[in-house]
Amino acid sequence: MSHTFLEQLWIARYVIMNGLAMTVSISLLAILAGSVLGVFVGLALVYGGTVLRLVVRAYTDVIRGTPVLVLVLASYYVSAAAGVDLGPFSAGVLALAIFCSSHVGEIVRGALQAIPKGQTEAAKAIGLTFTQTFTSVLWPQAMRQCLPSWVNTAAEMVKASTLLSVIGVAELLLRTQEIISRNFMSLQFYFLAGALYFIVNYGIEQFGKYVERKTALPS
Amino acid sequence: MGYTLNFAAVWRNFDFLLSGLALSLGLAVISIVIGAVIGLFSAFALTAKNRYGLAAAQVYVTVIRNLPILVLVLFAYFALPQMGVRLDKLESFVLVLSLYSGAYLAEVFRAGLLSIPAGLTEAGLAIGLTGLQIRSSIIAPLMLRNVLPSLSSTIISLFKDTSLAAAIAVPELTFAARKINVESFRVVETWMVTSALYVATCFFIAALMRFVEGRLALPR
């Protein structure tokens, strides 16, 4: 058995790359599904009738009041107990997407409510329908508002994907734990995992800042 | 679907869940208090002119904020002993959550510090206060008032992060719930009650913070 970190790293290279690929796919899926769902949540919170608003408000408040780990565990075990065999991957992604949707919902709500009333009134005055007003007046402005917090949420999702290791999804953290159980180099390999997560999240953050600069209104 | 809810097993173990919740709250309170001190110092460093202090605080905040907390929890418990630092479960978790909350609170406090007009510092200097006196008796109290809304959402999310202590077998609420799960197989019921406990506690914290906000609001 070889005993230096580099040798162990070389042995584990594919395992780590697989884990990283899994982490990225989980995060992408959860962010995509969560954002689509979240936009509807946000719309319901702003434009829904009283009943719909109450239901969606309860949904977001309960999700936001529950730790992601509990969502992940509940999604995995409850789906199994209910007879729907989702498997750890789907159950985990579902939990993350639900978590993501509550955050995106609140972001979208905040952004839509921050747009001055005058904009809607002006659109009405020139005879736009509600759909037209929304797609060509409100949404473009709301998107710009959403961007910074949406990027934050994306980074949160990458971090939250580590929780899927608890239900046995072979993402980067679980792979790291497997490697450590073989070579006992916990210090080095946790450090490596941390560095990889840092690079991914820092990359997302910098990319977000770049897009923000690109789409900023000239002032 | 023929599933009938039966909460008997959960109620039988309810005091176990409650003691888990108490431990979760205890961990959160200790870590957030330590984190607030770290965050306050970091925020002053982030807004000060001292270049080394600024760089150190920036590195700390950026690194911690971009790492998953579960990695930090596992690192502190399993990897630190290799560096000769042996901490038990509770100590290592409190260490991690304090450092983690410190980084998040640093950003919250920094935003608050930036909203304080420079005239107040100048006024403090004019009546002969030292830098430390200005910070502790003029700037910090005003800043804390300004940041209460974002402070409360940070505190709530940190309270929820205590659930990660379950990963190193600290018997807090999530760990207690998993244990009941394994023993009774009343999975749906356990997670319903556990989520309800978390949600209720988060609502309670939010209400408490709103109360504090109301009491501390400056008369307009």
Side-chain angles (χ1 to χ4, degrees):
Chain A
M1 194 173 142
S2 27
H3 288 290
T4 71
F5 171 60
L6 284 178
E7 283 164 339
Q8 291 296 334
L9 181 61
W10 183 250
I11 295 169
R13 65 195 186 281
Y14 291 117
V15 181
I16 290 172
M17 277 192 277
N18 279 336
L20 190 58
M22 187 61 125
T23 289
V24 171
S25 355
I26 294 167
S27 312
L28 278 179
L29 272 174
I31 292 165
L32 275 177
S35 300
V36 173
L37 188 59
V39 170
F40 286 110
V41 168
L43 286 176
L45 284 173
V46 181
Y47 301 115
T50 321
V51 178
L52 180 64
R53 253 212 327 267
L54 270 177
V55 171
V56 178
R57 173 68 23 229
Y59 166 81
T60 42
D61 283 354
V62 167
I63 300 297
R64 281 159 55 90
T66 312
V68 200
L69 181 58
V70 171
L71 290 177
V72 170
L73 290 168
S75 163
Y76 181 53
Y77 291 113
V78 170
S79 66
V84 194
D85 192 17
L86 282 181
F89 179 82
S90 312
V93 171
L94 178 71
L96 292 187
I98 288 175
F99 166 66
C100 183
S101 77
S102 71
H103 279 255
V104 172
E106 287 284 297
I107 295 169
V108 168
R109 181 187 63 83
L112 285 173
Q113 282 177 345
I115 299 172
K117 266 267 185 291
Q119 301 275 328
T120 321
E121 285 159 11
K124 256 188 204 147
I126 59 168
L128 297 186
T129 63
F130 177 75
T131 318
Q132 285 172 325
T133 308
F134 182 74
T135 51
S136 39
V137 179
L138 301 178
W139 187 241
Q141 302 186 58
M143 283 272 273
R144 201 171 272 130
Q145 270 266 317
C146 286
L147 191 72
S149 5
W150 187 76
V151 169
N152 262 340
T153 308
E156 283 300 316
M157 298 311 293
V158 176
K159 292 195 273 173
S161 74
T162 55
L163 302 180
L164 269 58
S165 66
V166 176
I167 54 170
V169 177
E171 43 67 77
L172 181 56
L173 185 57
L174 187 66
R175 291 296 199 188
T176 306
Q177 287 174 298
E178 282 171 17
I179 296 166
I180 291 169
S181 68
R182 249 173 270 145
N183 59 28
F184 302 109
M185 293 183 172
S186 53
L187 188 62
Q188 294 88 330
F189 279 94
Y190 276 130
F191 212 85
L192 177 73
L196 289 173
Y197 279 114
F198 179 82
I199 291 167
V200 171
N201 277 325
Y202 193 72
I204 293 175
E205 192 182 290
Q206 294 305 313
F207 178 72
K209 280 191 182 142
Y210 168 79
V211 177
E212 212 177 307
R213 271 201 307 276
K214 279 280 174 188
T215 56
L217 291 174
S219 52
Chain B
M1 213 175 61
Y3 195 87
T4 37
L5 293 175
N6 177 359
F7 287 94
V10 181
W11 299 140
R12 212 169 35 245
N13 293 305
F14 195 61
D15 48 346
F16 186 43
L17 281 180
L18 283 186
S19 67
L21 178 61
L23 184 55
S24 296
L25 274 172
L27 287 171
V29 169
I30 296 174
S31 310
I32 289 166
V33 169
I34 303 174
V37 175
I38 302 175
L40 200 57
F41 277 100
S42 309
F44 277 124
L46 285 171
T47 49
K49 290 199 183 67
N50 185 323
R51 244 192 303 150
Y52 300 104
L54 174 69
Q58 268 174 342
V59 169
Y60 161 63
V61 171
T62 316
V63 168
I64 297 285
R65 283 174 61 103
N66 282 309
L67 286 177
I69 181 167
L70 185 54
V71 172
L72 292 171
V73 169
L74 296 175
F75 184 88
Y77 188 54
F78 292 112
L80 280 188
Q82 283 204 2
M83 297 170 74
V85 186
R86 278 185 196 286
L87 298 171
D88 71 22
K89 285 181 239 176
L90 286 175
E91 289 166 352
S92 72
F93 187 75
V94 167
L95 173 73
V96 167
L97 197 60
S98 303
L99 286 175
Y100 199 72
S101 57
Y104 280 80
L105 294 175
E107 283 290 288
V108 171
F109 292 154
R110 187 184 68 95
L113 288 178
L114 291 179
S115 71
I116 305 269
L120 289 174
T121 313
E122 286 157 14
L125 286 173
I127 58 168
L129 298 182
T130 64
L132 191 67
Q133 285 172 322
I134 293 172
R135 281 175 181 169
S136 64
S137 44
I138 302 180
I139 296 180
L142 279 171
M143 179 275 285
L144 280 174
R145 233 177 231 143
N146 284 340
V147 300
L148 276 174
S150 44
L151 187 64
S152 61
S153 61
T154 312
I155 288 177
I156 288 172
S157 85
L158 289 167
F159 164 67
K160 292 192 292 168
D161 285 335
T162 57
S163 62
L164 296 170
I168 53 172
V170 172
E172 46 66 67
L173 184 50
T174 303
F175 185 81
R178 293 191 78 177
K179 197 151 174 263
I180 295 174
N181 250 339
V182 173
E183 285 163 5
S184 68
F185 298 109
R186 303 314 293 192
V187 174
V188 183
E189 295 85 342
T190 317
W191 289 122
M192 280 170 76
V193 174
T194 306
S195 304
L197 285 176
Y198 273 115
V199 172
T201 312
C202 288
F203 267 69
F204 174 74
I205 299 174
L208 189 71
M209 292 299 287
R210 265 200 303 277
F211 173 75
V212 173
E213 227 174 284
R215 289 304 291 269
L216 292 181
L218 295 175
R220 294 186 186 273

